[in-house]
Amino acid sequence: MTDDPLNTDIDALEQTVERLFADNLLLRRRLRRFAQRTTRIRRYAFYDELTGLPNRRLLRDRCRHALREAVRKQRGLTLLLVDLEGFNEIDERVGHADGDRLLRQVAERITDCTRVGDAVFRYGGARFAVLLPEFDAPDTAETVRADIRAQLILPFFAGRHTVDIAASIGAAAFPTQGQTYEALFDQAELAMYGPSVPLGSPSDPVRRSLRERGF
């Protein structure tokens, strides 16, 4: 007795559908893994793994975009750069794990000082940047800078260690001190490493005032 050709065709079709379904499921899994891998690669390319903050590459891109918006809207923009003085020595003293905790605390304190629309970046080992776009009052940037200054001179705690961190903060404003990302960055670095007293050093007047008040 021969097989019914119709049944044979139906069986073959069912097997083909099953294979296609299995292949499609496998393809979907591979595509999902590829998308997850791409997301991780993209995050590593634009974000600091330790603090979760945007990195120097994203700082450049966002600053350039903010400059275009500042020109279009005829509004101000300020770039702040923050450098933790002597952090390598602190890291060696407290250990790398607690040093990493300190950097995360610094990132949190700086972020807490910013407004909605501002952006904080980690662009180097112990270096941070703050982009302050679209402000009208000329003292807005100085207010944020002063808030960061006040936060960073307070003691930090990591593990069994209590740490005082000295920081230098440089600022550059668009359009008076630069009209490109590179110009603003260079001007802010000059201000940061200029002759001004590092924030949090023993001769810093704000730290002296806190010590007199028992901090």
Side-chain angles (χ1 to χ4, degrees), residues 25-87:
L25 187 61
L26 179 61
L27 178 61
R28 288 169 61 185
R29 288 174 178 170
R30 288 177 176 173
L31 288 174
R32 185 163 55 247
R33 286 197 296 268
F34 176 77
Q36 292 171 345
R37 192 178 303 117
T38 302
T39 300
R40 287 196 299 270
I41 292 172
R42 180 176 177 80
R43 182 161 187 84
Y44 292 150
F46 291 102
Y47 290 86
D48 172 52
E49 186 176 1
L50 177 64
T51 63
L53 294 176
N55 62 17
R56 182 166 186 159
R57 183 176 179 180
L58 206 51
L59 166 63
R60 178 196 61 201
D61 293 348
R62 289 189 178 175
C63 187
R64 287 174 175 170
H65 174 75
L67 283 168
R68 290 192 294 269
E69 289 296 298
V71 171
R72 185 174 66 86
K73 298 180 180 179
Q74 298 184 339
R75 305 185 79 171
L77 178 152
T78 295
L79 177 65
L80 302 179
L81 298 183
V82 182
D83 185 21
L84 308 182
E85 302 287 343
F87 189 81

Side-chain angles (χ1 to χ4, degrees), residues 115-126:
R115 312 159 302 162
V116 175
D118 298 338
V120 181
F121 307 79
R122 182 185 178 207
Y123 72 94

